[in-house]
Amino acid sequence: MSIETINNLMEKSPANWIDDYFNNHELHKHAFRDLVCRVQTKIQKIIIVDTYNYGRCLILDNEFQSAEADEFIYHEALVHPSFILHPCIERVLIIGGGEGATLREALRYKSVKRVVMVDIDKEMIECAKKYLPSFHTGSFDDSRLELVIEDGRKYLERINEQFDAIVIDVNDPLEGGPSYMLFTVELYRTVAKMLKKDGILIVQSGAASITENDVFTSICNTLSKVFNHVFPYVTYIPSYALQWGFVMATGNPGKLDITGQEIDDRIGSKITGALRFYDSITHHAVFNLPKYLRSDIKNQTRIISDKDPLTEHYPGISNHK
Ligand code: SAM
């Protein structure tokens, strides 16, 4: 949606509305109370609004990223299944994650000694620090953090460090957007070399609905060309009105098969603060994919590559560059 359209809506509607397009034929609208921030950076268009139903929401290039009311579902789902299964997470790399909420969840682990977070957009981080305090909860000030402002792909190709967990939490691969070169088989090969022996990669992988799962299933298939063990999982995100996909990948799943009791014991001993979404019951729920989705993953043949990257086009997106 263009800024002119937002302005028109603000003038004409009894409430202000912000659009979240799924594709050319489906749209989810949120009524909002206040426009908190609207900035066109060199990288993307940032909009932050206070919605009636989901509190403060971040929208990048017209795509909903996260909402105050349910971001805990997305961010706990992104981080905890793999961090809990790993024997001892000490070194973490986050690519993207501008709100600081992925960082917040990673820093809960008492064993974590170092987190490098690489985000391409300095102004996104500044907006998050200023306008999204309930998302980052002060995590940007943690002494274990090294914050790098750089394209994640360039960072991964220039750095020679190994991590226990690498979390790729970037925007969906939009045409003309900043993130689509972070979803290719070449990139995943680079990441694989940066993981320690028991290391785990986690990728936020887009919608996993019945009509929209091409990004998710293509990521699963592409990761399976690099990693011996790929575990897709899903959960419903109310503010997206969609089931969302995540993929965990590792070369060494030796220690991943633990009981529900062990999961809950580890949550009790390894994490500071209380979780609201993730526990052993949720763990088993998210990995139990419905039959149609398992079948779509199995039938997906696409390998995303540098020469043939996967990009999506959403209506309402003007050339934001
Ligand atoms: N939850 C989100 C979603 O639904 O897609 C993703 C989280 S987050 C807000 C996306 C972050 O990725 C933003 O802060 C953006 O600046 C960052 N980002 C996008 N492309 C990137 C790149 N090439 N390298 C590093 N960070 C990138």
Side-chain angles (χ1 to χ4, degrees), residues 274-288:
L275 301 181
R276 292 174 66 197
F277 171 73
Y278 179 75
D279 66 2
S280 62
I281 293 172
T282 305
H283 182 95
H284 290 115
V286 298
F287 285 100
N288 279 296

Side-chain angles (χ1 to χ4, degrees), residues 1-12:
M1 184 166 66
S2 69
I3 288 168
E4 291 72 34
T5 314
I6 296 176
N7 288 338
N8 285 341
L9 284 169
M10 287 170 110
E11 276 167 25
K12 289 180 190 154

Side-chain angles (χ1 to χ4, degrees), residues 44 65 74 98-99 119-120 124 151-152 169 171 178 204 240:
Q44 57 206 341
Q65 302 292 309
Y74 174 97
E99 308 97 324
D119 198 289
I120 196 170
M124 174 62 240
D151 172 27
D169 183 23
N171 325 29
Q204 95 75 5
Y240 297 174

Side-chain angles (χ1 to χ4, degrees), residues 157-172:
E157 288 174 350
R158 85 176 163 78
I159 285 298
N160 188 17
E161 185 175 345
Q162 293 217 308
F163 297 90
D164 298 301
I166 299 180
V167 185
I168 303 186
D169 183 23
V170 292
N171 325 29
D172 287 355

